[in-house]
Amino acid sequence: MAIGAVLRNRNASLYRGAVVVSSFGSGAMLLIAGITGTVQLIMYAPNALTQALGAALVAVVDFRVALGVVGVLGLGAAGRAAWTVLGSRKGRSLVGGASS
């Protein structure tokens, strides 16, 4: 095969990428592991904290009250997000159609 054909080949590209990454050795793997751990902590910590807060809230307040509060807060957040997105569009009405 010519060098150009090898460079354009998708499987050869994947193999070259694996060879380059593996040539860095364990240092690159430790860096990737550290980055992955940090990203997972940032992504999943709010979920764990919210579950703990919900469990504590249900222990104190009836679950129907907690669900009602969460529903109202969720609708308020969705309304605020929609108002922010639609309100930031210059020259457009919040209701739709042409603006005057």
Side-chain angles (χ1 to χ4, degrees), residues 27-39:
M29 296 307 290
L30 289 173
L31 178 65
I32 291 172
I35 292 171
T36 304
T38 303
V39 168

Side-chain angles (χ1 to χ4, degrees), residues 22-89:
S22 66
S23 67
F24 289 119
S26 62
M29 296 307 290
L30 289 173
L31 178 65
I32 291 172
I35 292 171
T36 304
T38 303
V39 168
Q40 285 184 349
L41 176 68
I42 290 170
M43 287 178 57
Y44 296 122
N47 190 17
L49 293 174
T50 318
Q51 287 179 355
L53 179 65
L57 187 63
V58 168
V60 176
V61 180
D62 187 32
F63 75 95
R64 292 179 208 95
V65 174
L67 282 178
V69 170
V70 168
V72 169
L73 290 175
L75 287 174
R80 169 71 185 225
W83 185 264
T84 301
V85 169
L86 295 176
S88 66
R89 297 180 180 178

